[in-house]
Structure formats: structure tokens, C-alpha cells
Amino acid sequence: MKIAERLKYARTKKEVTQVEVQLATQIHAKTLSGYENGVSEPDLETIKKLAMFYHVTVDWLLSDNDSDHSINEPIYIELNEYEPVNSQAIILVNGEPVTKKELDYILVGVSTIRSMG
């Protein structure tokens, strides 16, 4: 399987549209389409971003080997250190990236719930 096929496979397995990938990764949908159709190939930074979004390994995206591609270990994100604009991890709510202000409200809510017992 080539990288174009792997990217399309990973997206369909995750059951997301190219627009949803665009919102989460900030990669233009037309560019994503080009990657999936083999018209162009992503650079290494983009491959890393897509691998993280799809929860697959960079090795799997680049490999000719059809072995298991899933990341079996959980991904931990420390919300107190999360930067919505600069982080490679993107937190979505209803398909939209969480803003810094929304993140602050989330942290206050979690803190309040935890203090209740």
C-alpha cells in the first residue's frame, strides 16, 4: 500500500471527512485530496501531524509493510500545558478546535467536579 492509499484508509477507518481532517490539522482539504489521490506527497512534518490525528504510526504511513498500524498506547495530553494554536494535538468539540478561553472553562469545570467528590 502506498502513502496515498494509507492516508485514505486511515481517514475512512476513523470515519471522518477531509473537511473534518482540515479543521483538526489545518491542512487544506484540496491538499489532503491531493495526498490521498497520489498527486502529491506530504512532507515529514505533515506526515507526523496526520499520523497523530489518525492514531497511526509514522512508520506505518511510510512503510510497505501491511502490519498493524494502530498506536496501542494511549496519548496523554496535559490540559494545563495545552496550547490550542501551537500544539500538534488538537482537541475538538463538535468538530471545532477548542480555544484557549474554552479550555480555561473546561479546566475550571473539571476542577469543580473533582472538588465535589
Side-chain angles (χ1 to χ4, degrees):
M1 213 184 304
K2 296 183 180 188
I3 191 166
E5 296 166 318
R6 289 179 186 270
L7 289 171
K8 187 169 188 173
Y9 173 82
R11 182 177 58 77
T12 56
K13 183 163 175 131
K14 190 171 173 118
E15 298 180 346
V16 293
T17 66
Q18 287 179 348
V19 172
E20 290 170 316
V21 177
Q22 175 189 7
L23 291 171
T25 64
Q26 304 302 309
I27 301 168
H28 194 276
K30 186 174 180 179
T31 303
L32 290 167
S33 178
Y35 295 159
E36 288 187 10
N37 291 313
V39 174
S40 60
E41 288 191 4
D43 62 23
L44 186 55
E45 288 305 311
T46 303
I47 290 170
K48 288 178 187 178
K49 188 183 291 188
L50 290 167
M52 181 175 260
F53 176 77
Y54 291 132
H55 298 283
V56 298
T57 64
V58 170
D59 288 344
W60 179 79
L61 282 176
L62 298 174
S63 174
D64 291 332
N65 184 349
D66 286 332
S67 65
D68 184 19
H69 60 280
S70 298
I71 296 174
N72 294 324
E73 298 177 20
I75 296 173
Y76 296 98
I77 300 171
E78 178 56 57
L79 290 182
N80 290 317
E81 298 170 8
Y82 175 73
E83 290 294 330
V85 176
N86 298 323
S87 178
Q88 285 185 336
I90 298 171
I91 300 171
L92 302 176
V93 174
N94 297 326
E96 295 290 322
V98 171
T99 66
K100 180 67 173 148
K101 185 175 182 178
E102 291 168 332
L103 179 61
D104 290 341
Y105 288 133
I106 291 168
L107 291 171
V108 168
V110 169
S111 178
T112 301
I113 291 168
R114 286 183 173 176
S115 71
M116 296 170 79

